[in-house]
Amino acid sequence: MADDNEKKTPQTPPNAPGPNWGLMTLLAVIGGILLIAFAFDGSMGSPARAISLDEFTKDYRKGLVVTGDQKQFPIEVVTNDASSNSTLTAYLYRKAPEFKTGRFYLPFTNSEEVRSLCNRFGITLTTRMDASAPSLTDAERVRSTDDLARLGEEGRIIVGEAGPVIYENGNQGVIVGEYRKTPTGKLTSRDVEMVRVEFSRTFQGDQVRDLLGNNVTYSVESNTMMTILINVLPVAIVFLLLFFLFRAQSGGPGGAMKFARSRARLLDPSKNKVTFKDVAGISEAKEEVWEIVEFLRNPKKFRNLGGTIPKGVLMVGPPGTGKTLLARAIAGEANVPFYTISGSDFVEMFVGVGASRVRDMFAEAKKHSPCLIFIDEIDAVGRHRGHGVGGGHDEREQTLNALLVEMDGFTANENVIVIAATNRVDVLDPALLRPGRFDRQVTVNLPDAAGREQILRVHARKVKLDPSVDLGPIARATTGFSGAELANVVNEAALIAARRNQQTVQQADLEEAREKVRWGRERRSLEITDKEKYNTAIHEAGHAICLLKTDLSKTLPLHKVTIIPRGPALGVTMMLPEEDQHSEYRSEMLDYIVVTMGGRCAEQVVFGDYSGGARGDIHQATSVARKMVCVYGMSDKLGPVEYGSNHNEVFLARDISQSTRNFSEHTARVIDEEIHRIVTENYNRAMSILTENKERLLLIADKLIEFETLSGKQVKELLETGEMTDPPLRQLPPEIPAEPDAPTDLETPNDEPPAETTTTEEDKQA
């Protein structure tokens, strides 16, 4: 079996998913159904000209609608039983016919009936009371109101300026008017054209019935297919869309059964271009994981000696140190399938889903062995079990149990190596850290000076550096920076150079980027009064003098002092170590307290008062003094004893039931007294230093007001000689763009009204 596994070639990841043929088929079926449904509409393909109901009404009342031949040229209204839509078809004269006119009269005894009948057809009446009717010898008598209604329905009553006239005397009278006689001669299809009127039976049905009366044939069209589609198609579409939605969410065929499948993503070895050449600053970590690469390349070399490769490698280190990048480099060097997943991808609200995903992930990895599984932020699923208020989290604990069994249980996972990363190893379950599961812990620490320079060179490949740039000073001046922060420094330098319209990145750009990442960007737009500005200058000058007058300046040299606001601070005194420092000495910590108190003491020496700007300094000084007493054992009264078992972040699930205070009330009082003594003594030291150098303090503050920024060398010259051999240039604010009105990504609206201007004749000519 071992030889067979050795001969296996790395599996290539599955091809990218093709088009969703199921969804495309669904859309095609829906389109076909709709096409068939509309094909049953009798109006489709009709040669009739479509007009509105209002246009038809006007033509009908003008007598342009053929009404005398219902057999050859009928007026029809077709209604649909599946909807309220109706269609009116009729025939119009292509050329207005020549009508012969005649007079009519109708005696009546009920004028209201005649008036309502005329109003129904839009006929305007003229009433003449107590007037004798004209001669009616040439008029044709209308026999009844029904005949009058027929004339109105056919649109044959002529409505002139005066319209039909009613001669009324009491309840009796006569209506006299003119009408169009039916045109003589036989009509052909060339004389007429067919028109179609679409209207709503619900809202316009009464209007059509009043207009046409009996000159229309009504019919009902039964569209069974349309009825079925209207009732069934929406429900079918909803069910089909839900089906495809659940199918897409579950990852393919199988529906909801895919919910418990692993979410690990397979990284294509051919596309993973990251190798150990792209990882710098962590040489020891690369050496430890190189054995994994060698085993994946040539497992027989280790098995001949009876050795087995670690089943799991846990990479531990602060955020941004390159743990994930190192895992990708392992996969790139070994050229094997690489599964990557986050610890939070296992945990769901349903109990048992995470455990099922773990089992599915390992089953899939065995099919592609040898391979790597990388679990990022494993502390999301691997925390201590059974701790916390109210018990543990059932889903997370079951997921962790499944992970423990898969890594080292009854079934062997040959050639499946698990790599995990975390920055909180203290919260992980002990069963996860034992040999046989995570056999090896690789510590990925912050890089040293040489490592930082290597990291800067790796990231500098992506930008255009000037040949004169030296990355060594930048590396030495970025103590404590992680790989991610160093990458940010290079990127910020490129952005600064681009804003300055430079062709390459200069050394000054890198210096500015380093200060921006460490202390924040300059806030020159912040409005500060002269009083606050002078107070800030006194404060920062006090820090600088206390640093130069103590031995701390040998390990933390003064780099720069500025009163330009950076980040949340109104001024900054910058100290940069020339080399990495891994140990803290008692004298240096005491000097550090002196330096932190220098700003407050300077305000008291000069003004006899102090502001609240030293709250951060007080916090730092108190924190250092507390560590000296409780952690480092630097108190003569308390001796080399640790007081307080936990001074770091509290892990609630583990530490809530433990007492972090393991000393008596008397000892607590002594601790407070020692902290107060250390801070007070060094506060008095700072007061003594600044009182002796008050004149130099005022001089440095005045120079800060004048130049805003002084280097460490210039401050030292002022303190020692009172003069500067190389004064700095006055830093001016950034230049205003040449086109202030040019459009930008973020424009401020002008709320002020435009100024009133008067236009002269000369301006008009210009």
Side-chain angles (χ1 to χ4, degrees):
M1 292 297 292
D3 294 337
D4 293 338
N5 291 333
E6 292 169 8
K7 294 179 182 180
K8 284 185 178 180
T9 57
Q11 299 290 331
T12 58
N15 296 329
N20 193 340
W21 294 108
L23 182 58
M24 295 176 66
T25 304
L26 171 63
L27 295 176
V29 170
I30 294 174
I33 293 174
L34 293 177
L35 181 61
I36 294 173
F38 283 114
F40 277 87
D41 187 0
S43 64
M44 290 191 63
S46 174
R49 179 169 62 91
I51 61 175
S52 65
L53 183 58
D54 292 338
E55 293 174 344
F56 178 80
T57 302
K58 293 179 181 179
D59 292 339
Y60 186 84
R61 289 175 176 170
K62 291 179 181 178
L64 300 180
V65 179
V66 180
T67 58
D69 191 353
Q70 281 293 100
K71 293 183 179 180
Q72 185 178 1
F73 303 110
I75 302 176
E76 296 180 338
V77 173
V78 180
T79 59
N80 196 319
D81 60 352
S83 65
S84 63
N85 296 330
S86 299
T87 304
L88 166 65
T89 56
Y91 293 86
L92 298 180
Y93 293 104
R94 293 185 183 273
K95 191 181 294 184
E98 296 181 0
F99 295 99
K100 292 183 179 181
T101 61
R103 296 181 68 200
F104 73 89
Y105 70 94
L106 173 64
F108 59 83
T109 58
N110 187 350
S111 63
E112 293 299 328
E113 181 182 1
V114 175
R115 292 178 185 278
S116 63
L117 183 63
C118 292
N119 289 334
R120 179 177 135 197
F121 299 109
I123 299 174
T124 304
L125 294 174
T126 301
T127 304
R128 295 180 182 177
M129 303 291 293
D130 299 331
S132 60
S135 176
L136 301 176
T137 56
D138 59 343
E140 179 183 351
R141 177 172 177 170
V142 180
R143 289 174 293 180
S144 65
T145 55
D146 293 337
D147 293 337
L148 181 64
R150 180 176 56 81
L151 291 175
E153 291 170 355
E154 294 177 356
R156 295 166 57 189
I157 299 177
I158 299 176
V159 182
E161 295 181 0
V165 181
I166 287 182
Y167 298 91
E168 187 175 4
N169 186 3
N171 292 330
Q172 295 182 351
V174 63
I175 177 172
V176 181
E178 293 183 351
Y179 73 101
R180 298 184 186 92
K181 294 182 179 182
T182 305
T184 59
K186 188 176 181 180
L187 295 175
T188 63
S189 59
R190 296 180 180 179
D191 300 325
V192 297
E193 68 169 334
M194 189 178 181
V195 294
R196 184 181 74 253
V197 179
E198 303 286 346
F199 66 95
S200 173
R201 181 179 59 196
T202 303
F203 301 103
Q204 298 171 311
D206 293 339
Q207 180 181 349
V208 173
R209 283 190 291 269
D210 292 340
L211 177 66
L212 300 177
N214 297 326
N215 290 335
V216 64
T217 301
Y218 291 93
S219 62
V220 178
E221 182 184 58
S222 179
N223 194 336
T224 306
M225 179 62 71
M226 179 65 73
T227 304
I228 294 174
L229 290 178
I230 290 176
N231 293 295
V232 177
L233 185 61
V235 179
I237 291 176
V238 169
F239 275 105
L240 287 174
L241 289 178
L242 289 176
F243 169 74
F244 281 102
L245 178 63
F246 280 111
R247 184 180 180 186
Q249 290 291 333
S250 59
M257 299 302 294
K258 289 282 186 176
F259 183 71
R261 294 292 299 273
S262 170
R263 295 186 178 179
R265 295 171 294 276
L266 182 60
L267 184 64
D268 189 352
S270 61
K271 296 181 180 180
N272 183 21
K273 304 300 182 181
V274 179
T275 62
F276 281 160
K277 295 180 180 179
D278 302 310
V279 182
I282 46 175
S283 302
E284 294 80 7
K286 288 199 294 185
E287 291 177 2
E288 287 199 63
V289 298
W290 181 252
E291 293 179 2
I292 299 175
V293 177
E294 283 191 312
F295 175 81
L296 293 173
R297 288 180 175 178
N298 185 16
K300 190 175 180 180
K301 172 183 176 181
F302 294 86
R303 287 174 178 166
N304 288 339
L305 297 176
T308 59
I309 200 65
K311 295 182 178 179
V313 177
L314 180 65
M315 292 188 289
V316 182
T321 50
K323 300 182 290 296
T324 304
L325 183 65
L326 182 59
R328 293 186 61 187
I330 296 173
E333 291 286 349
N335 194 28
V336 296
F338 180 69
Y339 286 91
T340 175
I341 193 172
S342 174
S344 60
D345 289 336
F346 292 110
V347 182
E348 290 285 351
M349 63 179 294
F350 303 107
V351 177
V353 174
S356 177
R357 289 178 178 174
V358 170
R359 291 188 291 268
D360 181 73
M361 179 182 67
F362 277 90
E364 190 69 21
K366 292 175 185 177
K367 298 177 183 178
H368 297 85
S369 64
C371 72
L372 295 170
I373 297 177
F374 176 63
I375 305 176
D376 199 8
E377 304 296 342
I378 195 175
D379 51 275
V381 69
R383 296 194 176 208
H384 277 276
R385 293 170 291 177
H387 290 277
V389 180
H393 191 290
D394 291 338
E395 166 64 2
R396 185 167 56 231
E397 290 190 2
Q398 290 195 23
T399 306
L400 177 58
N401 292 337
L403 182 62
L404 296 176
V405 172
E406 290 293 337
M407 291 189 67
D408 188 20
F410 288 101
T411 59
N413 290 321
E414 291 290 338
N415 298 338
V416 177
I417 300 174
V418 181
I419 303 175
T422 181
N423 54 6
R424 291 298 308 275
V425 68
D426 56 312
V427 305
L428 296 181
D429 193 277
L432 193 63
L433 302 177
R434 72 163 177 83
R437 291 193 174 110
F438 283 108
D439 305 89
R440 182 174 298 178
Q441 290 189 22
V442 177
T443 302
V444 185
N445 286 321
L446 295 172
D448 56 9
R452 291 194 297 274
E453 185 172 356
Q454 295 174 6
I455 294 173
L456 287 172
R457 294 188 185 281
V458 169
H459 294 293
R461 300 173 191 166
K462 304 176 183 179
V463 300
K464 295 182 179 179
L465 285 183
D466 190 85
S468 62
V469 171
D470 185 7
L471 296 177
I474 304 297
R476 291 191 297 272
T478 50
T479 303
F481 276 40
S482 64
E485 291 173 321
L486 293 171
N488 192 24
V489 168
V490 176
N491 184 62
E492 288 290 344
L495 297 179
I496 292 172
R499 286 197 298 268
R500 294 174 178 174
N501 298 322
Q502 299 175 182
Q503 299 299 322
T504 57
V505 178
Q506 306 289 335
Q507 187 81 20
D509 301 327
L510 289 168
E511 294 283 349
E512 174 65 22
R514 179 203 61 201
E515 296 177 3
K516 179 180 178 181
V517 173
R518 182 183 288 272
W519 291 290
R521 185 178 181 180
E522 292 182 352
R523 296 188 298 162
R524 292 182 176 271
S525 61
L526 183 64
E527 295 184 1
I528 305 176
T529 62
D530 294 339
K531 181 180 179 182
E532 288 182 335
K533 191 172 184 179
Y534 187 68
N535 183 77
T536 302
I538 293 293
H539 186 100
E540 300 304 330
H543 286 308
I545 292 176
C546 288
L547 176 61
L548 294 174
K549 287 295 183 178
T550 57
D551 294 335
L552 186 64
S553 60
K554 299 178 181 178
T555 55
L556 282 176
L558 180 63
H559 173 66
K560 185 185 294 185
V561 182
T562 179
I563 58 172
I564 300 174
R566 280 185 178 270
L570 296 179
V572 182
T573 300
M574 305 178 188
M575 300 176 288
L576 289 178
E578 295 182 351
E579 57 185 12
D580 294 341
Q581 186 177 2
H582 304 286
S583 300
E584 297 178 287
Y585 293 92
R586 183 175 183 272
S587 60
E588 293 177 352
M589 299 178 77
L590 294 175
D591 289 344
Y592 184 79
I593 296 176
V594 173
V595 175
T596 56
M597 288 299 183
R600 179 186 173 103
C601 294
E603 295 178 17
Q604 188 172 359
V605 168
V606 176
F607 305 115
D609 196 2
Y610 35 78
S611 66
R615 59 184 182 276
D617 301 333
I618 295 174
H619 172 76
Q620 293 182 16
T622 306
S623 177
V624 171
R626 187 175 300 278
K627 287 183 179 180
M628 291 177 64
V629 174
C630 299
V631 180
Y632 302 131
M634 294 180 179
S635 171
D636 295 334
K637 284 188 177 181
L638 298 173
V641 179
E642 181 185 11
Y643 296 97
S645 59
N646 188 6
H647 297 278
N648 297 320
E649 298 180 45
V650 176
F651 176 40
L652 184 64
R654 181 193 62 202
D655 298 330
I656 193 171
S657 60
Q658 300 179 3
S659 174
T660 59
R661 180 170 176 173
N662 53 3
F663 46 85
S664 64
E665 292 293 337
H666 174 72
T667 305
R669 186 180 302 108
V670 176
I671 291 174
D672 292 339
E673 292 174 355
E674 284 293 285
I675 294 174
H676 183 270
R677 179 187 62 81
I678 292 174
V679 174
T680 304
E681 287 181 356
N682 291 282
Y683 183 89
N684 294 331
R685 283 180 59 196
M687 285 290 296
S688 176
I689 292 173
L690 295 174
T691 302
E692 295 175 0
N693 298 273
K694 183 176 180 180
E695 294 182 0
R696 301 300 189 195
L697 173 65
L698 297 175
L699 176 62
I700 295 173
D702 292 338
K703 294 299 181 180
L704 283 173
I705 293 294
E706 181 179 357
F707 297 104
E708 292 185 337
T709 301
L710 298 175
S711 67
K713 179 181 178 181
Q714 292 164 347
V715 175
K716 188 175 182 180
E717 289 180 351
L718 289 174
L719 180 62
E720 293 176 353
T721 64
E723 296 180 355
M724 287 187 296
T725 57
D726 185 17
L729 297 176
R730 174 71 175 179
Q731 294 186 2
L732 299 177
E735 296 181 0
I736 300 175
E739 299 180 3
D741 296 331
T744 59
D745 293 337
L746 181 62
E747 295 185 358
T748 303
N750 185 11
D751 295 332
E752 297 181 358
E756 295 184 359
T757 58
T758 57
T759 305
T760 62
E761 294 296 332
E762 296 178 357
D763 295 334
K764 292 180 179 180
Q765 294 176 0

